[in-house]
Amino acid sequence: MSTSTQDHQGIAFYVAHEQQNLRLLELPPILLELLTSQHPSKLSLKSNVSTEETSGHAVLCSDNQTFQLRQVHSSNSVFLLQPSCIASDADQASASHGITTVAKCEATLEAIPQSIQCTHQLKAAIPVLSNLEVDTIPPSTLPRGKLAIFDDCPFSVREFEQAWKDICALEVDGQAFRPSSEVLWKVWRSIVSGCILKGFSLDQDIDVSSLARTIEEDDVPPFVMRPVVERLRVNNGVALHGYLRMSPVESVQWAGTVLLEARTEDGNAMSVAAFFHDWKDGLPESWRRYATLETIKGKFMQPSEDTIMLNGSGLSAGKGSYSTTTAKSNGPQARRWHEKFKSSRR
């Protein structure tokens, strides 16, 4: 026993001449469970675009969640090891078995689940479609479609798709747009008027194809109507194909918020009486009882007892706003939206 202990030489330890540049990633339980599941999610590293005010930062995205990456330094170094076998050229039989350090990690990356305001970031990244009266979209030297914008947004696929739906974004000829609040209010009014004209009830099954043809006569093209009905529908029907229905309370809340943003995005409050008049006037008669301040609680503020404005007014304003009002032409080339983008109908 004593002799065996004295003869034991221990484990040979070597240090590789060229160390690998590696970082350890500490996984939170939710991400570890996701990666070890039967159908693991694909992970991607993304970063937001740095600006003069903010610096870019990296995030780790699964299919449905975003994790902020934070580098944490430690006073204790961590070595990554691999088994090794070292033998001299003269005596291959006396090969020495041991371990070799191939990397030294002095910092660890932590993946922290984060809750981000995807809607606000996506709004800032997409040009505004502020008018439907003429067909001329200002030419863009670098058109950016939905996929290109997603690549630059630091959040997961599910979070992006939800934010895209929430702001009623759309894509035309490879260029992404988001309708302004004024355009959304016009589309909503056309939907309500079209349903009344066709005898449809918004909280019952609606023939969307028939409705789309009706409101197109009001110069609202189907590709602009589609994201609005997708935003408000409560069943799983395909927009512009088949039937759908809308939730009264959610639709009334959305319409009131859109109207308030359209009227107060310049930073000036409007009278409460005028707001309720316009809001109720844009609703089906049976839904007007839902038009209360309680319905839009948390989405407005009142500078005075008689005035009201959107809480965080001006969210639709920003860089890249496309207005077609300055592009009007009296010549024969001026056409309506539904003529220019006839191929975009669905």
Side-chain angles (χ1 to χ4, degrees):
M1 181 71 176
S2 175
T3 303
S4 175
T5 303
Q6 293 176 354
D7 292 342
H8 182 65
Q9 300 298 317
I11 299 175
F13 182 82
Y14 306 96
V15 178
H17 179 68
E18 294 185 359
Q19 295 284 292
Q20 300 180 33
N21 186 16
L22 301 176
R23 288 289 185 274
L24 294 180
L25 176 61
E26 182 178 342
L27 300 178
I30 185 174
L31 194 53
L32 180 61
E33 181 180 354
L34 184 65
L35 291 176
T36 56
S37 64
Q38 186 175 1
H39 302 287
S41 171
K42 181 176 69 173
L43 299 181
S44 58
L45 281 171
K46 304 183 72 176
S47 173
N48 65 339
V49 179
S50 59
T51 64
E52 296 179 356
E53 295 81 14
T54 60
S55 59
H57 62 271
V59 295
L60 184 68
C61 297
S62 66
D63 290 338
N64 55 18
Q65 193 168 2
T66 301
F67 300 84
Q68 180 183 356
L69 293 180
R70 183 176 65 181
Q71 183 169 265
V72 179
H73 291 273
S74 173
S75 58
N76 298 320
S77 298
V78 177
F79 292 92
L80 296 185
L81 309 175
Q82 68 179 22
S84 58
C85 181
I86 308 298
S88 64
D89 295 336
D91 188 4
Q92 294 289 333
S94 61
S96 175
H97 295 273
I99 55 176
T100 299
T101 173
V102 295
K104 178 183 178 181
C105 301
E106 297 179 342
T108 302
L109 293 177
E110 291 184 342
I112 305 171
Q114 65 175 5
S115 177
I116 53 179
Q117 296 292 334
C118 304
T119 302
H120 297 337
Q121 293 189 44
L122 192 58
K123 276 188 170 185
I126 303 180
V128 179
L129 188 63
S130 59
N131 203 290
L132 293 178
E133 292 183 1
V134 291
D135 70 329
T136 306
I137 294 180
S140 174
T141 55
L142 293 174
R144 299 179 70 231
K146 181 178 181 180
L147 183 58
I149 291 175
F150 168 71
D151 289 340
D152 287 338
C153 288
F155 29 86
S156 66
V157 175
R158 188 188 71 175
E159 292 166 326
F160 176 84
E161 290 291 349
Q162 185 61 54
W164 180 275
K165 177 180 177 181
D166 287 343
I167 66 175
C168 300
L170 56 103
E171 186 177 26
V172 179
D173 288 355
Q175 174 65 58
F177 295 99
R178 62 178 180 89
S180 68
S181 52
E182 194 65 52
V183 168
L184 290 176
W185 179 245
K186 174 180 173 59
V187 173
W188 170 254
R189 290 295 301 266
S190 296
I191 290 175
V192 173
S193 298
C195 285
I196 294 175
L197 183 63
K198 300 293 292 186
F200 298 148
S201 176
L202 286 171
D203 54 359
Q204 297 180 4
D205 289 341
I206 303 169
D207 185 339
V208 186
S209 297
S210 176
L211 178 61
R213 290 191 296 269
T214 300
I215 71 170
E216 190 174 10
E217 298 175 2
D218 197 23
D219 294 325
V220 175
F223 64 82
V224 180
M225 170 191 161
R226 174 173 180 164
V228 175
V229 296
E230 282 282 359
R231 169 70 177 79
L232 299 175
R233 67 188 176 93
V234 295
N235 65 345
N236 295 321
V238 179
L240 299 186
H241 295 87
Y243 296 83
L244 62 84
R245 63 179 57 184
M246 298 182 184
S247 165
V249 176
E250 182 180 350
S251 299
V252 171
Q253 180 192 72
W254 178 86
T257 305
V258 166
L259 172 63
L260 197 56
E261 182 174 352
R263 298 292 186 268
T264 65
E265 62 182 351
D266 59 357
N268 296 317
M270 68 182 299
S271 75
V272 175
F275 168 65
F276 273 107
H277 175 273
D278 294 347
W279 189 12
K280 292 182 178 181
D281 189 54
L283 299 174
E285 187 172 352
S286 61
W287 286 11
R288 292 176 183 175
R289 67 182 186 274
Y290 300 117
T292 65
L293 291 181
E294 183 65 26
T295 300
I296 57 173
K297 184 178 180 180
K299 299 181 181 298
F300 69 93
M301 57 184 178
Q302 290 188 263
S304 68
E305 185 178 349
D306 300 325
T307 59
I308 189 172
M309 65 189 304
L310 187 71
N311 189 10
S313 184
L315 294 178
S316 287
K319 297 180 181 179
S321 177
Y322 284 178
S323 174
T324 61
T325 55
T326 59
K328 291 185 179 181
S329 170
N330 295 323
Q333 293 184 353
R335 295 168 294 165
R336 291 289 185 180
W337 280 88
H338 62 275
E339 295 172 347
K340 179 178 177 64
F341 298 112
K342 185 176 181 181
S343 60
S344 300
R345 295 181 183 177
R346 299 188 180 185

